[in-house]
Amino acid sequence: MLRDRIVCGCRDKKLQYKLLADPALTFDSALAVAKASELADRGTRNFSGQDASVNRLLDNRQRKPPPPREKPPSIGPTQPCFRCGAAHPATTCKFRTSTCHYCKKQGHISKVCRKRTRDSKADKTASRSTNQLTGSDDEEEDTDEYRLFYSSAGRTQPITVPVTLNGLDTTMEIDTGAALSVMNEHTYRLLWPKRKPPLKPTSIRLKTYTGEHIVVKGIIRVHVLYQAQQAELDLLVVAGKGPSLLGRDWLENLRLDWHSIKYSTIVADDLQEILDKHSTVFGKDLGHIKDAPATIHIDPAHKPRFCKARPVPYSRRSKVEKEISRLEEQGVIEPEFSDWAAPVVPVVKKDGSIRLCGDYKVTVNTVAKPDTYPLPRIEDIFASLANGKSFTKLDLAHAYQQISLTEESKVLMTVNTHKGLFRYNRLPFGVSAAPSNHGEPHVQGLPHVVVYIDDILVTGSTEEEHLRTLEEVLDRLEKAGARLKREKCRNADSCFPWWST
């Protein structure tokens, strides 16, 4: 920041260009170059001053001073009227009692309104990556200035604090360099989609780090709840999509728990280190769990059941064909004839993609022996997660398709599509006899860990224990060849996915 202040504060444009052209510029090198330029400029001025004094001495000896010229009498006003812009004195302007239609102030018209001119320039510079926000009133006589610094380039992890605004939970970034607390208009509309706090007009002006104006939408009065503290505070709403900043005006009214904030920052750094260490388990490729393949048990006396393919709606046919191609490329399915064949059921997921399921209730599910491994009861889950402070949910990506099938079971898992017969090499969706404990053997024996179908729940009585257990679970899943779906892994302490922090 000190280096940037030196570069942006240079009045000498040549020096500023020289500093900006240096790709490896540091604070020390910028300071040394600036000092050298100052000394050189000072020496040049001294030489120029000496030459000028000698010239003046010679001129005084050879010439006589010219007689003073009289100033011409003033005919009219030298500047246009600030009330209407015409060429007459402002004291005699007929608009001195008029009200501006833009800023609603008396004494001028909207044609020459200063606020209108400033806001028109500010619309072009609403969002900036590096900001120095300076606030002041519209008129010169009651000017209050505020500064706020924010930089999005090369920043470390922000220090955030959870607060409740008018009964709704949100997160704000602590910024002791900010004189005012601000929220961007995008967050303002998302946080209060229906009953928004009324925006009141404000005379505060905001400027960027380079002096350009930023649009101020207004100011709101919110009820702030932090832990057991409550206060009615002002919050500035600005244009753009920057972070919500908790500035010094709120810090004067709220006593933050700095110990827990510092501790949370340390925990976030440790968590990020664990995620970076086990980045393989979050890979985009399809996992392959390296243990005994799944087997579907049926009575050999039952005759095979073959069903013809069902028609696919034309609106979904392209997506179904795309999913078949994906499964074939990943080795999940392969073209193969079989006496068993089940029709497919395309299921539309939340993201618009297709999940291809076999309708095995008309074929294998009627004759297969059910899985005898019981699902955990809700009481067992609560008992295993008791005394937990924070909780993490891990979601296996395409959980069933990460498990191989035996050769005998592959024949039973054939599906009939509009593109022909395909045999599954991995465990498909829709089989009632599929093993429900496919994830438990890999994390068996770990305390504070529960497996429920394709979800793994992890907790701990302390944050340190929680992170240790999480690291052990990720290590075992990575060794087993499993893959997790990063977008669905969440932490119960936050409404956002924990990897985004």
Side-chain angles (χ1 to χ4, degrees), residues 82 100-105 108-123 136-139 200-206 213-218:
F82 70 89
C100 177
H101 294 296
Y102 186 82
C103 67
K104 309 302 180 184
K105 291 189 176 183
H108 64 277
I109 59 177
S110 61
K111 176 183 176 182
V112 292
C113 182
R114 299 177 184 176
K115 188 175 187 299
R116 181 180 180 181
T117 304
R118 287 193 295 264
D119 290 349
S120 62
K121 295 179 181 179
D123 290 338
S136 65
D137 291 340
D138 289 337
E139 302 299 334
K200 298 180 181 179
T202 178
S203 58
I204 294 177
R205 295 171 53 197
L206 300 182
H213 291 273
I214 287 182
V215 176
V216 179
K217 296 298 182 179

Side-chain angles (χ1 to χ4, degrees), residues 39-64:
L39 292 175
D41 185 61
R42 189 179 305 168
T44 304
R45 286 200 304 269
N46 291 336
F47 289 137
S48 300
Q50 291 175 4
D51 294 340
S53 61
V54 173
N55 293 333
R56 284 195 299 270
L57 180 59
L58 295 174
D59 291 341
N60 291 336
R61 292 179 179 178
Q62 297 174 3
R63 300 179 183 179
K64 294 182 179 181

Side-chain angles (χ1 to χ4, degrees), residues 472-490:
E472 180 64 24
V473 170
L474 294 178
D475 185 64
R476 292 192 180 188
L477 292 176
E478 186 175 354
K479 291 180 180 178
R483 293 292 182 268
L484 298 175
K485 193 167 187 177
R486 196 178 180 102
E487 292 78 8
K488 287 189 176 181
C489 298
R490 295 183 180 272

Side-chain angles (χ1 to χ4, degrees), residues 79-256:
Q79 294 182 352
C81 175
F82 70 89
R83 301 185 188 276
C84 65
H88 59 251
T91 54
T92 61
C93 182
K94 64 179 181 179
F95 295 106
R96 60 182 182 275
T97 58
S98 301
T99 302
C100 177
H101 294 296
Y102 186 82
C103 67
K104 309 302 180 184
K105 291 189 176 183
Q106 189 176 4
H108 64 277
I109 59 177
S110 61
K111 176 183 176 182
V112 292
C113 182
R114 299 177 184 176
K115 188 175 187 299
R116 181 180 180 181
T117 304
R118 287 193 295 264
D119 290 349
S120 62
K121 295 179 181 179
D123 290 338
K124 301 178 182 179
T125 57
S127 58
R128 291 290 182 267
S129 61
T130 305
N131 294 337
Q132 175 192 359
L133 275 63
T134 304
S136 65
D137 291 340
D138 289 337
E139 302 299 334
E140 296 179 357
E141 54 267 18
D142 294 322
T143 301
D144 296 326
E145 291 190 351
Y146 308 94
R147 287 181 172 82
L148 181 146
F149 299 91
Y150 166 70
S151 174
S152 63
R155 298 198 310 154
T156 58
Q157 294 295 334
I159 302 176
T160 59
V161 58
V163 293
T164 303
L165 306 180
N166 291 353
L168 298 176
D169 296 331
T170 187
T171 302
M172 299 184 70
E173 180 178 340
I174 302 174
D175 192 343
T176 56
L180 300 175
S181 298
V182 299
M183 173 182 287
N184 65 78
E185 186 183 14
H186 181 70
T187 304
Y188 168 74
R189 297 185 183 278
L190 288 180
L191 191 60
W192 294 288
K194 295 182 179 179
R195 297 183 179 179
K196 298 180 177 62
L199 275 174
K200 298 180 181 179
T202 178
S203 58
I204 294 177
R205 295 171 53 197
L206 300 182
K207 293 183 179 180
T208 65
Y209 186 85
T210 55
E212 298 171 328
H213 291 273
I214 287 182
V215 176
V216 179
K217 296 298 182 179
I219 193 169
I220 59 176
R221 189 76 173 177
V222 292
H223 178 76
V224 183
L225 174 63
Y226 172 72
Q227 294 182 353
Q229 306 174 55
Q230 301 184 33
E232 297 287 336
L233 301 174
D234 291 331
L235 183 63
L236 206 62
V237 179
V238 299
K241 294 185 179 181
S244 299
L245 302 181
L246 195 152
R248 294 195 302 271
D249 57 337
W250 282 26
L251 293 176
E252 293 177 354
N253 297 274
L254 300 176
R255 187 174 181 179
L256 300 183

Side-chain angles (χ1 to χ4, degrees), residues 315-497:
S315 60
R316 296 183 182 178
R317 178 164 294 189
S318 60
K319 293 184 178 180
V320 171
E321 293 176 355
K322 182 179 179 180
E323 178 66 10
I324 292 175
S325 300
R326 185 189 70 84
L327 295 176
E328 192 173 2
E329 290 175 0
Q330 293 182 345
V332 178
I333 60 176
E334 61 181 0
E336 184 70 28
F337 178 78
S338 174
D339 294 332
W340 293 82
V344 295
V345 179
V347 179
V348 181
K349 297 192 288 187
K350 292 182 179 180
D351 57 358
S353 59
I354 293 294
R355 174 180 290 163
L356 209 60
C357 301
D359 190 7
Y360 295 107
K361 68 181 180 181
V362 296
T363 57
V364 177
N365 288 351
T366 59
V367 296
K369 297 179 181 179
D371 181 29
T372 57
Y373 193 90
L375 291 175
R377 301 181 305 164
I378 190 65
E379 294 83 359
D380 301 332
I381 295 176
F382 286 159
S384 301
L385 302 178
N387 300 322
K389 185 177 180 180
S390 59
F391 304 86
T392 298
K393 185 196 78 169
L394 304 177
D395 185 89
L396 290 170
H398 305 288
Y400 288 108
Q401 294 179 3
Q402 298 189 44
I403 304 174
S404 299
L405 287 169
T406 59
E407 291 298 326
E408 297 79 8
S409 300
K410 290 180 182 180
V411 178
L412 306 174
M413 297 295 102
T414 304
V415 291
N416 200 349
T417 71
H418 67 282
K419 296 190 68 175
L421 296 174
F422 290 92
R423 185 182 71 174
Y424 269 91
N425 296 321
R426 304 284 184 92
L427 188 64
F429 296 98
V431 183
S432 61
S436 57
N437 66 327
H438 53 271
E440 187 162 351
H442 310 292
V443 296
Q444 195 169 15
L446 289 177
H448 308 295
V449 178
V450 175
V451 178
Y452 189 82
I453 307 179
D454 61 343
D455 290 336
I456 302 176
L457 306 178
V458 183
T459 187
S461 56
T462 62
E463 286 288 354
E464 291 84 355
E465 185 180 19
H466 175 216
L467 292 179
R468 286 198 304 268
T469 306
L470 177 62
E471 184 174 13
E472 180 64 24
V473 170
L474 294 178
D475 185 64
R476 292 192 180 188
L477 292 176
E478 186 175 354
K479 291 180 180 178
R483 293 292 182 268
L484 298 175
K485 193 167 187 177
R486 196 178 180 102
E487 292 78 8
K488 287 189 176 181
C489 298
R490 295 183 180 272
N491 188 300
D493 288 342
S494 173
C495 59
F496 300 102

